[in-house]
């Protein structure tokens, strides 16, 4: 793809949004022309100042009409959860969207997916969703499978100790903090991780396989002691470990399995062992391909990365960058909802620092 400068509007300036703004600002292939900040106290502030970098001369605003009037090539959409009405408005205005907000294929949205597809066609725009997991992890598996002449099963297993991850608003919906004997607990992990079902569909589509069904198997572990964290406490007898396995079945056999295992504290029952944070990707077939994916600060920053916030920032960067690197392909794509299966392999342009 030729080098082109793409006009970008950043949508939100939360944790992922901050990393997104910083990446866009220093990449010569992108020009930040607007920033949406829904809260009134952020409106009017410089986008750079809001995310902790040098001023960029772009003011944040909560005026959606003003942002759409800028006619950017793309909106980088980073809320925690998608707002279908919001996306319909952007796409109908003819503006492409790359998103990290709980969107891969949209198949879990039922009729709302049709609304998004119609908005894309009406505006001549494209919608793409990724992130690190789901998203980037599935892309790695899709690429790894191209080394095989037979694939029996693809497994992507995520594990993480989330004790220091302080986000009860996002963790309670999957079951954390719920009494282990609460009758409403059983479906919580499946409901809270439903986007992983879309990731299973993404991988199945890459293989050209029609699944009979996608099901979720969930397990929970309780803490045997009160678990005190930064902003909340999980009492003894309540969930401090969540496992959810999304399985794509053909003739009763799982040919794709994408799972997450998250734990908090050291007093779990049952006691789950976490063998490092990251992803283990296995392509069972001929050959069987094994891949272990983790993340660390760059060598020149290891000594400075001394706090847990420094490591969390790496996660935010890994979530923000897959959609950003997809921008050239998304802008060039036909209108509609696009996935990694519809686009050329993304390229990490504009990220090699000058000497």
């Amino acid at each position: 793809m030729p080098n082109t400068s793409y006009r970008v509007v950043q949508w939100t300036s939360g944790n992922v949004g901050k990393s997104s703004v910083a990446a866009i600002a220093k990449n010569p292939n992108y020009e930040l022309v607007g920033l949406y900040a829904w809260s009134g106290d952020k409106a009017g502030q410089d986008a750079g100042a809001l995310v902790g970098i040098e001023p960029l001369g772009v003011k944040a605003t909560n005026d959606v009409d003003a942002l759409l009037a800028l006619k950017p090539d793309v909106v980088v959409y980073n809320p925690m959860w998608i707002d279908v009405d919001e996306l319909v408005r952007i796409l109908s205005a003819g503006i492409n969207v790359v998103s990290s907000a709980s969107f891969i294929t949209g198949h879990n949205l039922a009729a709302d997916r049709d609304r998004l597809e119609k908005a894309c066609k009406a505006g001549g725009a494209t919608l793409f969703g990724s992130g690190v997991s789901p998203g980037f992890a599935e892309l790695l598996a899709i690429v790894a499978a191209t080394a095989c002449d037979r694939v029996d099963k693809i497994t992507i297993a995520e594990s993480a100790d989330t004790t220091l991850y302080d986000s009860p608003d996002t963790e309670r919906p999957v079951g954390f903090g719920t009494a282990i004997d609460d009758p409403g607990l059983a479906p919580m992990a499946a409901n809270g991780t439903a986007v992983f079902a879309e990731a299973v569909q993404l991988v199945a589509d890459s293989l050209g396989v029609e699944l009979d069904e996608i099901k979720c198997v969930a397990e929970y572990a309780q803490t045997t002691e009160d678990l005190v964290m930064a902003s909340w406490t999980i009492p003894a007898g309540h969930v401090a470990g969540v496992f959810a396995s999304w399985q794509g079945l053909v003739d009763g056999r799982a040919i794709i399995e994408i799972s997450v295992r998250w734990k908090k504290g050291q007093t779990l029952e049952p006691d789950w062992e976490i063998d490092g944070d990251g992803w283990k990707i296995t392509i069972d077939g001929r050959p069987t391909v094994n891949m272990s994916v983790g993340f660390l600060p760059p060598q020149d920053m290891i000594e400075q990365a001394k706090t847990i916030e420094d490591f969390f920032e790496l996660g935010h960067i890994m979530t923000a960058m897959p959609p950003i690197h997809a921008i050239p392909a998304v802008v060039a794509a036909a209108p509609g909802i696009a996935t990694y299966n519809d686009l050329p392999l993304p390229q990490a342009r504009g990220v090699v620092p000058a000497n």
Side-chain angles (χ1 to χ4, degrees), residues 135-170:
F136 176 69
E138 283 65 41
L139 177 61
L140 292 179
I142 289 169
V143 172
T146 64
C148 305
D149 71 356
R150 190 188 83 216
V151 172
D152 301 320
K153 183 180 181 181
I154 293 180
T155 304
I156 304 171
E158 175 182 330
S159 60
D161 184 328
T162 68
T163 307
L164 299 177
Y165 179 65
D166 187 27
S167 183
D169 288 345
T170 59

Side-chain angles (χ1 to χ4, degrees), residues 249-266:
L249 305 179
V250 175
D251 295 331
R253 179 172 66 91
I255 63 166
I256 300 163
E257 181 177 3
I258 300 176
S259 66
V260 296
R261 189 180 297 275
W262 301 317
K263 65 171 283 187
K264 290 184 178 295
Q266 303 301 315

Side-chain angles (χ1 to χ4, degrees), residues 38-346:
W38 62 268
S39 61
D41 61 327
K42 292 183 178 181
Q45 295 191 48
D46 184 89
L50 269 179
V51 305
I53 62 175
E54 70 281 354
L56 299 176
V58 175
K59 300 294 185 183
T61 180
N62 52 14
D63 185 339
V64 174
D65 288 332
L67 290 170
L68 299 183
L70 293 171
K71 298 188 181 303
D73 296 298
V74 65
V75 162
V76 176
Y77 190 80
N78 296 134
M80 181 64 70
W81 312 108
I82 67 169
D83 182 321
V84 173
D85 291 338
E86 201 168 60
L87 284 175
V88 165
R89 188 174 178 185
I90 298 168
L91 295 164
S92 297
I95 300 169
N96 302 293
V97 175
V98 296
S99 174
S100 66
S102 63
F103 186 93
I104 299 295
T105 67
H107 284 98
N108 288 299
L109 298 176
D112 278 338
R113 187 182 192 279
D114 293 336
R115 291 181 60 206
L116 292 171
E117 187 75 48
K118 289 177 181 176
C120 288
K121 297 299 174 61
T126 304
L127 169 61
F128 169 81
S130 184
V132 64
S133 176
F136 176 69
E138 283 65 41
L139 177 61
L140 292 179
I142 289 169
V143 172
T146 64
C148 305
D149 71 356
R150 190 188 83 216
V151 172
D152 301 320
K153 183 180 181 181
I154 293 180
T155 304
I156 304 171
E158 175 182 330
S159 60
D161 184 328
T162 68
T163 307
L164 299 177
Y165 179 65
D166 187 27
S167 183
D169 288 345
T170 59
E171 293 185 297
R172 284 193 175 103
V174 301
F176 280 106
T178 303
I180 197 70
D181 58 357
D182 189 317
L185 175 62
M188 290 184 70
N191 294 338
T193 62
V195 70
F196 285 89
E198 298 186 14
V200 170
Q201 186 63 58
L202 173 71
V203 177
D205 291 344
S206 78
L207 295 173
V209 171
E210 185 172 344
L211 300 173
D212 296 330
E213 66 171 315
I214 300 173
K215 72 173 185 178
C216 182
V217 176
E219 299 174 13
Y220 302 93
Q222 63 180 308
T223 178
T224 58
E225 300 176 10
D226 288 356
L227 179 58
V228 180
M229 294 170 292
S231 67
W232 63 314
T233 296
I234 298 179
H238 289 61
V239 172
V242 173
F243 171 76
S245 169
W246 286 94
Q247 302 170 8
L249 305 179
V250 175
D251 295 331
R253 179 172 66 91
I255 63 166
I256 300 163
E257 181 177 3
I258 300 176
S259 66
V260 296
R261 189 180 297 275
W262 301 317
K263 65 171 283 187
K264 290 184 178 295
Q266 303 301 315
T267 57
L268 279 193
E269 184 182 276
D271 185 15
W272 292 347
E273 293 295 326
I274 298 292
D275 184 21
D277 293 354
W279 299 266
K280 293 189 182 303
I281 300 172
T282 303
I283 316 297
D284 285 305
R286 194 174 73 166
T288 289
V289 181
N290 293 303
M291 189 183 308
S292 182
V293 183
F295 54 95
L296 292 169
Q299 287 294 319
D300 61 346
M301 296 179 64
I302 285 180
E303 290 191 7
Q304 296 101 303
K306 296 179 180 179
T307 69
I308 193 65
E309 287 78 13
D310 294 327
F311 283 86
F312 284 156
E313 184 181 8
L314 298 179
H316 301 151
I317 292 169
M318 292 173 70
T319 302
M321 294 314 300
I324 289 174
H325 287 313
I327 286 174
V330 170
V331 171
I337 295 173
T339 73
Y340 280 122
N341 294 319
D342 305 305
L343 303 178
L345 192 67

